[in-house]
């Protein structure tokens, strides 16, 4: 679920069956990267399908959600995988989502919990406060075996602080772009025509119920 960035990074070694990991020296520390690019779009679609991901729900419309949703939609275009925006009922952001092509008529825009219930991969990009307030409702809405995607570690930290955990039986991954949403989108679009364009992102796997979470997060 990466941003199709020029490099996707992790601070430790990891196993990937679908992508090529490379070791690089960062100031005396070995890190492993997967270089992105338009040539990987097809692979991303294949990886999602292999993980049973046919519907991706992007929840929210703040800084990151518009960029990540549009990038994902462009990446999986033509694969049959659908990217849907989920927003709270009555949100003014429905109009903004429609402006960039997500609509109720196409089934790519809807109420957030309904979108979650129908998504194989849920990319949760609502505010930290909303995550803390609604985590029980969010977890209850997730499909069995779904992938929960985050863009930072706030929710894990919050759950740790109150002695709670993520639901068992789901994959929990994070893909964290090294920039604000507008940059994530702009550099992705540049990458369609300029070699090397894109934005770096770290990824992590918190919970791997399927045994395929690493490739799902890179994809």
């Amino acid at each position: 679920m990466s941003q199709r960035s020029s490099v996707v990074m992790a601070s430790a070694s990891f196993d990937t069956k679908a992508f090529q990991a490379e070791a690089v020296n960062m100031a005396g520390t070995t890190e492993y990267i997967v270089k992105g690019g338009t040539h990987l779009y097809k692979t991303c679609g294949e990886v999602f399908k292999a993980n049973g991901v046919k519907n991706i729900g992007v929840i929210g419309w703040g800084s990151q959600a518009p960029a990540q949703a549009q990038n994902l939609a462009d990446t999986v275009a033509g694969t049959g995988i659908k990217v849907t925006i989920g927003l709270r009922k009555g949100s003014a952001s429905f109009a903004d989502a429609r402006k960039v092509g997500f609509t109720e008529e196409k089934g790519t825009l809807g109420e957030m919990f309904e979108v979650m219930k129908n998504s194989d991969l849920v990319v949760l990009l609502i505010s930290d406060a909303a995550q803390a307030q609604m985590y029980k409702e969010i977890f209850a809405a997730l499909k069995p075996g779904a992938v929960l995607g985050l863009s930072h570690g706030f929710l894990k930290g919050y759950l740790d602080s109150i002695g709670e955990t993520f639901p068992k039986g789901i994959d929990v991954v994070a893909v964290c772009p090294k920039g604000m949403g507008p940059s994530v989108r702009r550099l992705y679009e540049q990458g369609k025509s300029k070699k090397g364009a894109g934005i770096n992102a770290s990824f992590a796997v918190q919970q791997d119920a399927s045994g395929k979470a690493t490739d799902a997060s890179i994809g």
Side-chain angles (χ1 to χ4, degrees):
M1 71 182 234
S2 71
Q3 313 315 305
R4 292 288 53 75
S5 55
S6 56
V7 180
V8 182
M9 303 188 301
S11 60
S13 62
F14 54 91
D15 294 322
T16 173
K17 297 178 181 177
F19 301 95
Q20 183 177 351
E22 300 179 22
V24 296
N25 186 293
M26 299 283 190
T29 300
T30 300
E31 297 196 359
Y32 293 83
I33 66 171
V34 173
K35 293 182 179 178
T38 56
H39 65 289
L40 292 176
Y41 288 6
K42 181 180 179 181
T43 303
C44 293
E46 292 171 350
V47 167
F48 283 138
K49 286 186 175 181
N51 281 46
V53 175
K54 296 180 180 178
N55 294 294
I56 300 173
V58 179
I59 311 303
W61 199 257
S63 172
Q64 287 291 335
Q68 294 196 33
Q70 291 178 84
N71 290 2
L72 279 164
D74 287 355
T75 298
V76 301
T79 66
I81 298 171
K82 185 168 68 174
V83 178
T84 303
I85 301 298
L87 302 171
R88 60 181 173 78
K89 188 176 181 180
S91 171
S93 297
F94 273 89
D96 296 326
R98 294 185 191 108
K99 289 177 182 177
V100 295
F102 297 98
T103 68
E104 295 92 336
E105 291 77 14
K106 292 190 295 186
T108 57
L109 178 62
E111 190 276 330
M112 59 185 290
F113 289 109
E114 287 302 313
V115 172
M116 289 181 199
K117 291 175 183 178
N118 292 299
S119 296
D120 308 300
L121 165 60
V122 173
V123 184
L124 187 65
L125 298 174
I126 59 177
S127 70
D128 293 347
Q131 291 185 31
Q133 292 171 2
M134 297 191 295
Y135 75 92
K136 291 183 179 179
E137 292 89 342
I138 291 167
F139 292 168
L142 296 175
K143 292 173 61 175
V147 181
L148 176 62
L150 307 169
S151 276
H152 55 60
F154 172 82
L155 184 55
K156 179 186 182 307
Y158 177 73
L159 293 176
D160 287 347
S161 74
I162 60 172
E164 293 278 9
T165 60
F166 292 101
K168 295 181 180 179
I170 66 168
D171 291 350
V172 181
V173 303
V175 176
C176 310
K178 302 299 185 181
M180 298 295 288
S183 296
V184 172
R185 181 59 178 166
R186 184 180 70 253
L187 292 171
Y188 175 97
E189 291 182 306
Q190 288 181 8
K192 294 177 181 179
S193 58
K194 295 182 180 180
K195 185 178 180 180
I199 196 164
N200 294 351
S202 296
F203 72 89
V205 175
Q206 168 64 24
Q207 196 163 285
D208 187 5
S210 69
K212 302 177 182 178
T214 296
D215 279 342
S217 62
I218 299 173

